């Protein structure tokens, strides 16, 4: 055995950690404290839920209306039918929106609940694109073809629409796609059928439009044709337009 080997000392055995023994059960005071905390949390949660859902503490105090122009806020509030004091969390936004949308002039509405007690209604009113004249006045028609209001005097700048049923749908489809410069010259849009739309322009000019298909292209072709002399402009086939 070498001297180097002889000098090595045996490594000491690793020390064993003393066992801690079985865990002590929590004291009675600790158990009671934990139970008391759990009960208090449950009471707070229950009180909060009851306050939010079943009491007027966070109830509706105000209904705000935004976006109305032709309508009044009172009309919208009446249609919404939200009872003052109703818990804010229990206000059904879908049902409120459906009631407000039932108003003829309303295109859409957004319902928001704002703490502590405000319901905010943001209304989008319908915009007229034309007028249908009747014995009871001027019927305003929007971009969907809906007759939504009757007024004694129509707004300035709207063309008169002479059509009904599917033909009216085609007429509205043409009007809503016309460039603003051309639309300002249109006095009357008429049709006996969806494929027989005609425009009456200022200075006694007539445009035979045909169907609502390819309206942007027809408008571009008509813009060129109107530089020529004539009284009848036919763009029903934009590939073969004519002037007479």
């Amino acid at each position: 055995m070498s001297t180097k080997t002889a000098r090595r000392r045996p490594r000491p055995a690793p020390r064993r950690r003393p066992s801690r023994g079985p865990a002590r059960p929590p004291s009675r005071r600790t158990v009671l404290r934990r139970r008391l905390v759990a009960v208090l949390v449950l009471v707070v949660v229950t009180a909060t839920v009851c306050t939010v859902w079943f009491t007027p503490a966070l109830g509706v105090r105000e209904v705000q209306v935004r976006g109305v122009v032709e309508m009044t806020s009172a009309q919208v509030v009446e249609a919404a039918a939200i009872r003052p004091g109703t818990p804010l969390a229990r206000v059904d936004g879908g049902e409120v929106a459906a009631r407000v949308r039932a108003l003829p002039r309303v295109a859409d509405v957004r319902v928001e609940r704002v703490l502590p007690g405000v319901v905010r209604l943001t209304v989008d009113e319908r915009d007229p694109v034309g007028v249908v004249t009747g014995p009871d006045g001027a019927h305003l028609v929007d971009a969907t073809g809906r007759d939504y209001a009757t007024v004694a005097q129509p707004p300035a700048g709207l063309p008169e629409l002479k059509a009904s049923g599917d033909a009216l749908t085609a007429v509205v489809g043409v009007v809503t796609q016309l460039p603003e410069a051309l639309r300002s010259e249109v006095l009357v849009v008429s049709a006996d059928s969806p494929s027989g739309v005609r425009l009456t322009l200022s200075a006694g000019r007539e445009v035979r439009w045909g169907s609502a298909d390819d309206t942007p292209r027809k408008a571009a072709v008509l813009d060129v044709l109107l530089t020529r002399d004539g009284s009848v402009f036919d763009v029903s086939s934009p590939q073969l337009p004519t002037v007479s």
Side-chain angles (χ1 to χ4, degrees), residues 98-141:
R99 291 194 291 267
V100 175
R101 288 194 192 103
L103 293 172
R105 283 186 176 272
V106 174
D108 200 6
V109 61
R110 184 171 69 255
V111 181
E112 300 174 272
R113 291 174 290 190
V114 183
L115 292 174
V118 176
V119 176
R120 183 177 299 152
L121 308 176
T122 304
V123 176
D124 292 329
E125 292 188 6
R126 297 182 185 275
D127 294 318
V129 299
V131 176
V132 175
T133 303
D136 55 342
H139 295 248
L140 303 181
V141 177

Side-chain angles (χ1 to χ4, degrees), residues 185-242:
E185 292 194 52
V186 178
L187 303 178
V188 180
V189 186
S190 57
D192 297 324
S193 68
S195 60
V197 178
R198 299 181 303 277
L199 312 182
T200 301
L201 307 183
S202 58
R205 296 167 296 174
E206 179 184 327
V207 181
R208 295 174 182 172
W209 201 268
S211 70
D213 297 337
D214 294 331
T215 286
R217 184 179 180 186
K218 292 175 181 178
V221 172
L222 179 62
D223 187 50
V224 176
L225 293 184
L226 290 176
T227 62
R228 304 177 184 178
D229 293 332
S231 58
V232 178
F233 304 83
D234 192 332
V235 294
S236 56
S237 296
Q239 303 89 344
L240 300 170
T242 61

